[in-house]
Each structure stands twice: as C-alpha cells, then as structure tokens.
Amino acid sequence: MKGKINKKYSRIRRCTKIRKNKHSNRLFRLVVHRTSRHIYAQIVVSKKSTISASASTVEFKKLNINHTYTGNKHSAKIIGQLIAERALKKGIKVVFFDRSGFKYHGRVKELAESARISGLVF
C-alpha cells in the first residue's frame, strides 16, 4: 500500500509543478487523464477553468465505435482525433498539453501525436 501512495503523490507533485510553471501564459490547455480502462481528454480555458471540448473512451458506445477493450493505444489515437476535431470546430487551434503528471509515453503519447496530426498546435 505504501508504494501506491508514493506513486500517486509523486504524480500529483509533477502535475502541480507543470501547471504552475508552464501554462500561465497560455489561454487553452489540453488536459489528459488516464485510468487502466479509459482515457479522457478535455480542452480547458485556463483563466476561467471551464471546459470547452471533451472526448473520452466512455463515449465509444454512443458513437458506435466497436472496441472490446478501451485502455490501449488505438483507442487513445481515436480520442486524440476526436478532441482535435471538436476543438477546431470551436475555433481553438493552439493549446498547452497538460499530461497531468503522467509520463509522455504509451497512450498519452499516442493521444498527443494524433491530436497534432489532426490540426492542434502544442
């Protein structure tokens, strides 16, 4: 149990450091959160803390996307494309990528790269 607590607190510490230092001069940020089963992405207005656009793997049933397992890189790639499309519809093109303390590796990396390919600028 002690290892899990330290792992969680170190991720939160990394998250607060990143948010404090990097996003102060940007207007929008792309916030990513992942669990073992799902991945979530939101475009947040930094000054007001309101959500402009969001996408997650929970929506796959509603969007008729057939995936038996949603905690993989392919699902993260689809979410990256969805969040980019929704942000561009709202007129948001330049964002700060906030990975919420997660390592830029695996699913987080796939989401970021597919959002870049779809038109978002980090």
PDB file of all heavy atoms in Angstrom, residues 24 30 51 64 78 92 98 104-105 116:
ATOM      1  N   SER A  24       0.811  29.332 -17.494  1.00  0.00           N
ATOM      2  CA  SER A  24       0.328  30.631 -17.038  1.00  0.00           C
ATOM      3  C   SER A  24       0.093  31.618 -18.180  1.00  0.00           C
ATOM      4  O   SER A  24      -0.784  32.457 -18.102  1.00  0.00           O
ATOM      5  CB  SER A  24       1.310  31.223 -16.026  1.00  0.00           C
ATOM      6  OG  SER A  24       2.570  31.395 -16.627  1.00  0.00           O
ATOM      7  N   LEU A  30      -4.890  21.390 -23.099  1.00  0.00           N
ATOM      8  CA  LEU A  30      -5.430  20.067 -23.367  1.00  0.00           C
ATOM      9  C   LEU A  30      -5.027  19.176 -22.205  1.00  0.00           C
ATOM     10  O   LEU A  30      -3.869  18.826 -22.046  1.00  0.00           O
ATOM     11  CB  LEU A  30      -4.877  19.521 -24.686  1.00  0.00           C
ATOM     12  CG  LEU A  30      -5.187  18.070 -25.025  1.00  0.00           C
ATOM     13  CD1 LEU A  30      -6.683  17.858 -25.148  1.00  0.00           C
ATOM     14  CD2 LEU A  30      -4.495  17.677 -26.306  1.00  0.00           C
ATOM     15  N   ILE A  51     -14.662  24.039 -19.262  1.00  0.00           N
ATOM     16  CA  ILE A  51     -14.347  23.049 -20.286  1.00  0.00           C
ATOM     17  C   ILE A  51     -14.978  23.480 -21.601  1.00  0.00           C
ATOM     18  O   ILE A  51     -16.182  23.707 -21.688  1.00  0.00           O
ATOM     19  CB  ILE A  51     -14.860  21.665 -19.861  1.00  0.00           C
ATOM     20  CG1 ILE A  51     -14.160  21.230 -18.585  1.00  0.00           C
ATOM     21  CG2 ILE A  51     -14.644  20.653 -20.967  1.00  0.00           C
ATOM     22  CD1 ILE A  51     -14.752  20.004 -17.954  1.00  0.00           C
ATOM     23  N   ASN A  64     -20.880   4.554 -31.645  1.00  0.00           N
ATOM     24  CA  ASN A  64     -20.867   3.294 -32.394  1.00  0.00           C
ATOM     25  C   ASN A  64     -19.468   2.899 -32.860  1.00  0.00           C
ATOM     26  O   ASN A  64     -19.270   2.457 -33.987  1.00  0.00           O
ATOM     27  CB  ASN A  64     -21.820   3.360 -33.593  1.00  0.00           C
ATOM     28  CG  ASN A  64     -23.262   3.450 -33.157  1.00  0.00           C
ATOM     29  OD1 ASN A  64     -23.634   2.894 -32.125  1.00  0.00           O
ATOM     30  ND2 ASN A  64     -24.066   4.162 -33.914  1.00  0.00           N
ATOM     31  N   ILE A  78      -7.788   7.431 -31.357  1.00  0.00           N
ATOM     32  CA  ILE A  78      -9.124   7.874 -31.757  1.00  0.00           C
ATOM     33  C   ILE A  78      -9.562   9.075 -30.917  1.00  0.00           C
ATOM     34  O   ILE A  78     -10.119  10.046 -31.436  1.00  0.00           O
ATOM     35  CB  ILE A  78     -10.135   6.715 -31.640  1.00  0.00           C
ATOM     36  CG1 ILE A  78      -9.799   5.631 -32.657  1.00  0.00           C
ATOM     37  CG2 ILE A  78     -11.558   7.208 -31.826  1.00  0.00           C
ATOM     38  CD1 ILE A  78     -10.586   4.363 -32.470  1.00  0.00           C
ATOM     39  N   ILE A  92     -10.529  26.673 -31.585  1.00  0.00           N
ATOM     40  CA  ILE A  92      -9.323  26.537 -30.764  1.00  0.00           C
ATOM     41  C   ILE A  92      -8.277  25.792 -31.571  1.00  0.00           C
ATOM     42  O   ILE A  92      -8.511  24.677 -32.013  1.00  0.00           O
ATOM     43  CB  ILE A  92      -9.629  25.775 -29.458  1.00  0.00           C
ATOM     44  CG1 ILE A  92     -10.711  26.500 -28.671  1.00  0.00           C
ATOM     45  CG2 ILE A  92      -8.372  25.597 -28.635  1.00  0.00           C
ATOM     46  CD1 ILE A  92     -11.287  25.692 -27.534  1.00  0.00           C
ATOM     47  N   ASP A  98      -1.247  19.443 -21.253  1.00  0.00           N
ATOM     48  CA  ASP A  98      -1.126  19.151 -19.829  1.00  0.00           C
ATOM     49  C   ASP A  98      -1.353  17.655 -19.644  1.00  0.00           C
ATOM     50  O   ASP A  98      -2.468  17.171 -19.766  1.00  0.00           O
ATOM     51  CB  ASP A  98      -2.174  19.957 -19.054  1.00  0.00           C
ATOM     52  CG  ASP A  98      -2.071  19.765 -17.557  1.00  0.00           C
ATOM     53  OD1 ASP A  98      -1.194  19.015 -17.109  1.00  0.00           O
ATOM     54  OD2 ASP A  98      -2.883  20.372 -16.846  1.00  0.00           O
ATOM     55  N   TYR A 104       5.098  10.965 -20.614  1.00  0.00           N
ATOM     56  CA  TYR A 104       4.805  11.120 -22.046  1.00  0.00           C
ATOM     57  C   TYR A 104       5.262   9.836 -22.729  1.00  0.00           C
ATOM     58  O   TYR A 104       6.356   9.738 -23.280  1.00  0.00           O
ATOM     59  CB  TYR A 104       5.536  12.339 -22.608  1.00  0.00           C
ATOM     60  CG  TYR A 104       5.145  12.681 -24.023  1.00  0.00           C
ATOM     61  CD1 TYR A 104       3.955  13.336 -24.279  1.00  0.00           C
ATOM     62  CD2 TYR A 104       5.955  12.335 -25.090  1.00  0.00           C
ATOM     63  CE1 TYR A 104       3.584  13.647 -25.568  1.00  0.00           C
ATOM     64  CE2 TYR A 104       5.596  12.641 -26.381  1.00  0.00           C
ATOM     65  CZ  TYR A 104       4.405  13.288 -26.614  1.00  0.00           C
ATOM     66  OH  TYR A 104       4.036  13.587 -27.897  1.00  0.00           O
ATOM     67  N   HIS A 105       4.391   8.834 -22.655  1.00  0.00           N
ATOM     68  CA  HIS A 105       4.769   7.501 -23.072  1.00  0.00           C
ATOM     69  C   HIS A 105       3.486   6.709 -23.305  1.00  0.00           C
ATOM     70  O   HIS A 105       2.495   6.915 -22.625  1.00  0.00           O
ATOM     71  CB  HIS A 105       5.598   6.871 -21.939  1.00  0.00           C
ATOM     72  CG  HIS A 105       5.987   5.459 -22.175  1.00  0.00           C
ATOM     73  ND1 HIS A 105       5.237   4.414 -21.739  1.00  0.00           N
ATOM     74  CD2 HIS A 105       7.056   4.934 -22.798  1.00  0.00           C
ATOM     75  CE1 HIS A 105       5.825   3.283 -22.084  1.00  0.00           C
ATOM     76  NE2 HIS A 105       6.925   3.578 -22.726  1.00  0.00           N
ATOM     77  N   ARG A 116      -2.016  16.301 -32.749  1.00  0.00           N
ATOM     78  CA  ARG A 116      -1.147  17.161 -33.585  1.00  0.00           C
ATOM     79  C   ARG A 116      -1.403  16.919 -35.063  1.00  0.00           C
ATOM     80  O   ARG A 116      -1.498  17.866 -35.848  1.00  0.00           O
ATOM     81  CB  ARG A 116       0.329  16.867 -33.288  1.00  0.00           C
ATOM     82  CG  ARG A 116       0.882  17.664 -32.169  1.00  0.00           C
ATOM     83  CD  ARG A 116       2.394  17.541 -32.147  1.00  0.00           C
ATOM     84  NE  ARG A 116       2.870  17.979 -30.857  1.00  0.00           N
ATOM     85  CZ  ARG A 116       3.453  17.207 -29.957  1.00  0.00           C
ATOM     86  NH1 ARG A 116       3.639  15.941 -30.201  1.00  0.00           N
ATOM     87  NH2 ARG A 116       3.850  17.693 -28.809  1.00  0.00           N
TER      88      ARG A 116
END
